[in-house]
Amino acid sequence: MSEIVEPVIGLIGGSGLYDIEGLEDRQWRRVATPWGEPSDELLFGRLAGISCVFLPRHGRGHPTPPSALNFRANIDALKRSGVTDIISLSAVGSLQENLPPGHFVIVDQFIDRTFAREKSFFGPGCVAHVSLAHPTCPRLSDAIEASGRELGLEMTRGGTYLAMEGPQFSTKAESLLYRQWGCHVIGMTNMPEAKLAREAEICYASVAMVTDFDCWHPDHDHVTVDQVVKVLFSNADKAKSLVKALIPRVGVARGPCPAGCDRALDHALITAPDSRDPEMLRKLDAVAGRILKAA
Ligand SMILES: CSC[C@H]1O[C@H](OP(=O)(O)O)[C@H](O)[C@@H]1O
Ligand SMILES: Nc1ncnc2[nH]cnc12
């Protein structure tokens, strides 16, 4: 693959981010998927002439908790809409002293402790195993870092996001354990989102915006939603500036992803062509269309 691609940027807005300002030709549209309903309609528009698609992760008004999110429908809907790059914007708790509320972390690793979610597009009738050694896209993360530095945001490049099931926040014992594991931030949503983006061959990067110190810190109150929401709004303003700066940087026509995110399925399918379930293949039309059409 050597062609030049015009990126279509997908933005997944987490808690506190239910809209994107400054989009031209804005249109909220329902996108149907074989995996069910996404969290909400998708907002289509252009920013600096670049095509963007925004999805509020929990829906407008935040009706949907983390465990009830249809992650497969969300990622499929973005893929089906032509999205090449996903920037996830998320509220997180901090597990490190040097990452205070208001700080942004460009996540590069995850530990997935979620257990009540559909985590793959593949399954009986079409089995695939993609690599997740490096679950985020370095090219996209470079662009986020450059834009964040330009804006003077307090930002750290690299960090491990502990994905918990929720909806309750962690116990102190859990929080201390995750610190021992070397995790930097904790949230409830980036998994299986990042896994599914990889299966769908979409570059994925995550901006984790710290709202609290979870419950491990001896000098801070334990996390509450009130406390999170207080910080959320100032984080959301910074996130909106970041997005505005970032889109022209990510949106330039470019070649294939140097890390291979856009070719993740090249060596992942193991089910022999004549053992594949046609119904399953139909559902995979958007996610794995590139590779299935070539087969
Ligand atoms: C309102 S605090 C807990 C909530 O916020 C985070 O969600 P998101 O990543 O969509 O910003 C966290 O993971 C929880 O779902
Ligand atoms: N402390 C925390 N734990 C899990 N998810 C969060 N989102 C924001 N703060 C959080």
Side-chain angles (χ1 to χ4, degrees):
M1 202 206 305
S2 60
E3 77 268 22
I4 300 296
V5 175
E6 293 269 346
V8 177
I9 301 170
L11 298 155
I12 302 182
S15 300
L17 273 168
Y18 309 106
D19 201 343
I20 284 287
E21 289 154 18
L23 280 190
E24 299 145 26
D25 308 324
R26 287 164 57 94
Q27 201 184 18
W28 286 94
R29 288 208 306 262
R30 176 176 177 264
V31 177
T33 87
W35 310 97
E37 288 296 317
S39 299
D40 201 334
E41 294 177 325
L42 275 59
L43 174 62
F44 292 81
R46 297 179 76 77
L47 215 150
I50 294 145
S51 296
C52 299
V53 186
F54 172 75
L55 176 64
R57 181 182 283 119
H58 302 273
R60 281 167 285 182
H62 207 126
T64 313
S67 306
L69 292 174
N70 189 339
F71 289 97
R72 292 192 299 189
N74 288 352
I75 297 297
D76 180 286
L78 292 168
K79 179 77 181 181
R80 214 166 272 286
S81 303
V83 165
T84 54
D85 297 71
I86 292 177
I87 299 152
S88 154
L89 299 157
S90 280
V92 293
S94 170
L95 296 169
Q96 299 294 334
E97 187 81 55
N98 64 339
L99 304 174
H103 200 93
F104 287 11
V105 179
I106 306 170
V107 169
D108 66 348
Q109 281 295 333
F110 296 99
I111 293 182
D112 185 3
R113 292 245 314 154
T114 66
F115 50 81
R117 306 173 185 196
E118 295 289 353
K119 297 195 181 188
S120 179
F121 290 108
F122 298 92
C126 191
V127 179
H129 304 280
V130 294
S131 168
L132 266 186
H134 300 288
T136 61
C137 176
R139 176 168 69 182
L140 194 50
S141 302
D142 284 348
I144 296 171
E145 184 180 10
S147 303
R149 303 264 175 254
E150 192 177 87
L151 293 170
L153 299 180
E154 292 294 324
M155 181 177 257
T156 297
R157 172 75 181 262
T160 299
Y161 176 120
L162 187 296
M164 60 177 290
E165 186 60 47
Q168 302 84 1
F169 293 117
S170 307
T171 64
K172 191 166 176 183
E174 288 166 336
S175 201
L176 292 170
L177 176 68
Y178 304 149
R179 274 171 54 73
Q180 280 181 20
W181 286 355
C183 299
H184 298 88
V185 293
I186 180 163
M188 305 177 191
T189 62
N190 279 201
M191 281 293 177
E193 194 173 86
K195 288 178 171 167
L196 294 166
R198 174 58 51 82
E199 287 188 347
E201 301 190 318
I202 304 175
C203 295
Y204 181 90
S206 171
V207 182
M209 305 181 292
V210 175
T211 52
D212 56 86
F213 273 111
D214 200 38
C215 63
W216 62 271
H217 201 298
D219 305 333
H220 290 272
D221 288 340
H222 300 163
V223 55
T224 64
V225 167
D226 282 0
Q227 183 197 347
V228 167
V229 167
K230 260 188 215 149
V231 184
L232 213 56
F233 290 115
S234 63
N235 279 354
D237 285 344
K238 288 190 271 183
K240 285 174 187 170
S241 312
L242 180 63
V243 164
K244 254 191 208 149
L246 183 56
I247 288 180
R249 218 183 267 276
V250 181
V252 284
R254 81 284 158 98
C257 173
C261 304
D262 51 5
R263 302 178 301 285
L265 293 176
D266 269 0
H267 306 288
L269 259 64
I270 192 161
T271 309
D274 55 2
S275 299
R276 293 178 188 166
D277 172 10
E279 173 59 15
M280 186 74 172
L281 299 185
R282 194 189 57 73
K283 287 175 86 172
L284 290 166
D285 67 333
V287 162
R290 182 187 73 84
I291 198 101
L292 292 174
K293 270 179 230 142

